[in-house]
Amino acid sequence: MDPLDIARWQFGITTVYHFFYVPLTIGLAPLVAIMQTMWVRTQDERWLKLTKFFGKLLLINFAIGVVTGIVQEFQFGMNWNEYSRFVGDVFGAPLAMEALAAFFVESTFLGLWIFGWDKLNKKIHLACIWAVAVSTALSAYFILAANSWMQHPVGAVFNPETGRAEMVDIVAVLTNSTVLAAFPHTITAAWLTAGTFVAGIAAFWMVKEARRGRDDVARSIYKPALNLGLVTMLIAGVGLAISGDFQAKLMFEQQPMKMAAAEALCTTPEGGAPFSILTIGDLTNDCESVNHVLEIPGLTSFLADGDFNAQLRGIDELQEYYTERYGDVGPDGEPIDYSPNLAITYWSFRLMIGFAAFSAALAAATMWLTRKGRITNKKWFARLGLIAIPTPFIASAFGWIFTEMGRQPWVVAPNPTGIDEIRMLTWGAVTTNQSAGVMLFSLIAFTVIYTFLTAIWGMLIWRYMAHGAPETVHDESPEANPDRANDADAPLSFAY
């Protein structure tokens, strides 16, 4: 196998695995903080039960997410040393900031939250989980700032002597228009993931308790959790639509080839560009076989420019433009195809939208079915809740695949209004001193390890989810237990 293909598979597999945990941690941390806030404000015991229940699931997800994330950064030096050499001066700063936010702030306050139930004042303990929620969002911002630089390089110059990009303006990197568009889209996707997770589990337990004849428990414990999850899903759905529209308009300016591929827009249309509902044929970059079965006239032009008749360039015209500006052949003498894989780009774009829209629509339907305090004991409702949980995870995974695969063949896409020399094709980024055999070994090893970790994650989540919220809880705070608070020999509380 080609070392480049192995390196790409390894990075893709490990990142998709890691990205299953990230949205849930980012979204679930503020939801647990909201539950605890409700308890502190109202002293209503049911919110403490929900905080303990979903807080435990948050901790499991956080732990696995940290383990799988550590490998990501080491891969840059292992399989992508040419890439690291080219972008290291720029990439290092946001990654270091992410480490400060994720490993120091986030981990410190999470530790205080875990062990501080009986040591910290209630409000200070509550502030700890909010600090965790804020730092997870900050962590996401710095990672997105690094990734956005690959999509749209700014704040750097090209040093012809070293052949490297060198950062000259960290503020420009951190306020890149690409990251400003990607951040709200990513955060709302995380809210949708966590909202569906909470609502799905609450729906399962609400039905289970109702079938046991414990309607009071179903109504008092799990119905509020279901409502919180559903409201979060609806807000996230609206946020995703707005931020996605803004991000798409920006991508038409910064990476027009990616968006042309997302619509299988092989040739430049006369008049407004249609939006493809269904396209069939061989989409492996063979435009001759593409057949648009169902499409809405002018909609892609409207989404790109707010005008149904706006002119958009097709893949053929963009290929000519890129060839003229960035060259027509690679170092191997072969012509460069500047279009990404059409099938992956086209379908990942639609699957991302489809799975996310399904979750938001399901939230609206469930709110109607359970309106005015209604609960249900229907088995199908419980099954639907569990089936719905993976859908936003899948939508996020396809969103990441679309973002990264749509950028190909670039690993650092050129900025149309920036410095042309700051660009890098993927084949030039892979390591040159690593054999295919060594890279294949690490690919297999990481795949096995990540699969094992995912199995452990699933087993732990299911095990603790199956226990449900605790039947009894008590206020462990120093305010409620002054004698224990003054006991220096009292053991640390770890009630999970």
Side-chain angles (χ1 to χ4, degrees), residues 44-47 49-50 53 201-226 373-376 467-472:
D44 189 334
E45 194 179 76
R46 60 182 176 168
W47 287 109
K49 291 179 179 178
L50 289 172
F53 180 43
I201 293 174
F204 171 81
W205 269 103
M206 184 179 73
V207 172
K208 191 170 183 176
E209 294 291 7
R211 292 181 69 83
R212 287 174 173 173
R214 304 206 312 168
D215 286 9
D216 56 331
V217 176
R219 185 169 280 106
S220 65
I221 302 294
Y222 296 108
K223 185 64 168 52
L226 177 66
R374 295 177 186 175
I375 60 171
T376 178
H467 288 166
E471 291 285 338
T472 58

Side-chain angles (χ1 to χ4, degrees), residues 337-370:
D337 182 358
Y338 287 103
S339 62
N341 184 298
L342 291 187
I344 293 176
T345 310
Y346 178 88
W347 284 110
S348 61
F349 185 60
R350 277 148 187 78
L351 290 170
M352 170 190 69
I353 296 173
F355 277 108
F358 173 76
S359 293
L362 191 61
T366 306
M367 287 187 83
W368 173 255
L369 290 172
T370 59

Side-chain angles (χ1 to χ4, degrees), residues 353-409:
I353 296 173
F355 277 108
F358 173 76
S359 293
L362 191 61
T366 306
M367 287 187 83
W368 173 255
L369 290 172
T370 59
R371 65 189 183 281
K372 297 181 179 177
R374 295 177 186 175
I375 60 171
T376 178
N377 62 358
K378 304 296 184 186
K379 279 187 177 179
W380 65 265
F381 190 82
R383 293 187 185 124
L384 183 62
L386 295 182
I387 291 171
I389 291 176
T391 54
F393 286 90
I394 297 171
S396 293
F398 276 117
W400 178 83
I401 291 170
F402 168 70
T403 300
E404 300 307 307
M405 292 294 290
R407 192 185 61 236
Q408 300 302 318

Side-chain angles (χ1 to χ4, degrees), residues 92-167:
L95 288 185
M97 293 177 185
E98 190 272 340
L100 286 172
F103 291 102
F104 289 93
V105 180
E106 194 175 339
S107 301
T108 298
F109 282 101
L110 191 62
L112 289 171
W113 187 72
I114 293 171
F115 294 105
W117 283 95
D118 61 344
K119 298 293 182 188
L120 299 174
N121 174 283
K122 271 185 189 176
K123 292 183 179 177
I124 293 177
H125 187 252
L126 174 63
C128 290
I129 190 65
W130 276 111
V132 172
V134 172
S135 59
T136 56
L138 275 177
S139 173
Y141 188 88
F142 293 126
I143 285 292
L144 286 172
N147 181 271
S148 294
W149 191 85
M150 297 162 62
Q151 313 282 346
H152 183 242
V154 293
V157 297
F158 180 74
N159 186 332
E161 294 182 2
T162 62
R164 303 173 65 222
E166 296 179 355
M167 185 168 66

